[in-house]
Amino acid sequence: MNPTTTAPVPPKTPGTGTGTAGPGGADPASGRERLAAFVQRQGVLAVLLTVVLVASFVYPSFATLDNARGVTVQASFLAIVALGMTFVIITGGIDLSVGSVFALGGVLAAWGSQWGMLPALLVPLAVCGAIGLLNGLLIGRAGMAPFIVTLASLLGARGLLLALTDEGATTRLVPKDSAFAQLGQGSLGGFGYPVLIALVLFGAGGLLLQRTSFGQTLFAVGGSRDAATLMGLPVARTTVLVYTLSGLLAGFAGALNAARLSSGVTIVGAGMELDAIAAVVIGGTLLIGGAGSVAGTLWGVLLLAVIQNLINQIGSLNSSYQSVVSGGFLIVVVVAQRYLGRSRRST
């Protein structure tokens, strides 16, 4: 009798689930993993497009070019702040100081604008960048908790803001028709300069995150700081840089806002840190770090801006309902991220 031979079982490759092929040779576990990853990355864009499509049919004034210009300009300042927050959260950190730094940057820019555009931009960048650098040194080098450090910076920046404005009694004005004022109020192709600047920064941020070793280090640090250290990656230096970048972007956004308003308003920025965190998380960046994208953050910012605009379109609701809707979206996204994370680990 001829001996019976058994075909060798091919080894299971990592990330392909159970190795059991479905119809046509497809691995169902691998398909679920890809679907979960796709939903996590692009789900917010699908929601944004759906909301825009429905709103365009329900409210004819929503789907106008003028309304689109207004929405994007208002969203551009939060977008710049949220860009810096994206880098911080990818590393597993948090920055609660950006709202106060945003307001401080506006006041410093308005103060410096009396000497021209260059001081109006350099002064807030220097001061706000220094605040971010201090945050980074305390967190990255001294090993302090990001929540505590940036909470202290929130209070410190707000206190410095009040000291510079006599407890808010003095409002610094930007000279009318100055080059700095035009930076916030001018437009190109129908869209304001702040929108175009935000798009350029997001493009540069995307390249930095996806095409450079620094960006890959951010993901590694967020995935596991201990593993990144064992790999020889500059964990402390990377942490210092991301918090410095967050401070710079928040200060720059505040300067642009001051140019648009023609004054350094002291009451702006309250709660902006929460809006920035919400936009980043809604955009698919994990709060625990290690995963995220700047494109997702941009969609998250636009979704929040569209929601605010729809509330204005309704007319019978006040702006406080935006916080209710944003909070609801945030809870849904966090729960979805947890479920998708479990699904990907189980495949």
Side-chain angles (χ1 to χ4, degrees), residues 71-302:
V71 170
T72 52
V73 168
Q74 291 299 322
S76 60
F77 308 110
L78 175 61
I80 295 173
V81 175
L83 177 62
M85 186 70 76
T86 303
F87 295 127
V88 171
I89 293 181
I90 285 177
T91 64
I94 201 77
D95 190 351
L96 300 179
S97 67
V98 292
S100 294
V101 172
F102 172 85
L104 176 62
V107 170
L108 292 173
W111 175 79
S113 65
Q114 58 186 311
W115 292 287
M117 178 183 286
L118 196 59
L121 292 176
L122 291 182
V123 172
L125 287 177
V127 175
C128 298
I131 294 174
L133 176 62
L134 178 61
N135 288 338
L137 290 173
L138 292 175
I139 296 167
R141 299 292 183 182
M144 298 179 66
F147 182 89
I148 299 300
V149 171
T150 59
L151 179 61
S153 296
L154 179 154
L155 299 174
R158 186 65 65 174
L160 179 58
L161 166 68
L162 293 176
L164 292 174
T165 59
D166 301 321
E167 301 294 328
T170 302
T171 300
R172 306 286 181 179
L173 300 178
V174 175
K176 294 182 178 180
D177 300 325
S178 65
F180 179 63
Q182 286 302 309
L183 185 64
Q185 301 170 14
S187 63
L188 179 65
F191 287 89
Y193 287 145
V195 177
L196 303 178
I197 292 171
L199 290 176
V200 170
L201 289 175
F202 267 79
L207 292 175
L208 180 67
L209 194 61
Q210 300 294 336
R211 301 296 182 183
T212 67
S213 58
F214 175 74
Q216 299 309 305
T217 301
L218 296 186
F219 289 113
V221 171
S224 173
R225 298 182 71 88
D226 293 336
T229 301
L230 292 174
M231 292 168 61
L233 297 176
V235 175
R237 185 176 67 189
T238 300
T239 302
V240 172
L241 288 174
V242 295
Y243 281 95
T244 303
L245 183 61
S246 180
L248 286 170
L249 288 173
F252 180 63
L256 283 179
N257 188 58
R260 180 157 186 83
L261 299 178
S262 295
S263 63
V265 182
T266 59
I267 60 174
V268 299
M272 180 176 255
E273 60 279 354
L274 302 180
D275 291 334
I277 294 170
V280 172
V281 175
I282 289 173
T285 298
L286 299 181
L287 270 175
I288 59 175
S293 69
V294 297
T297 295
L298 182 59
W299 308 141
V301 170
L302 288 176

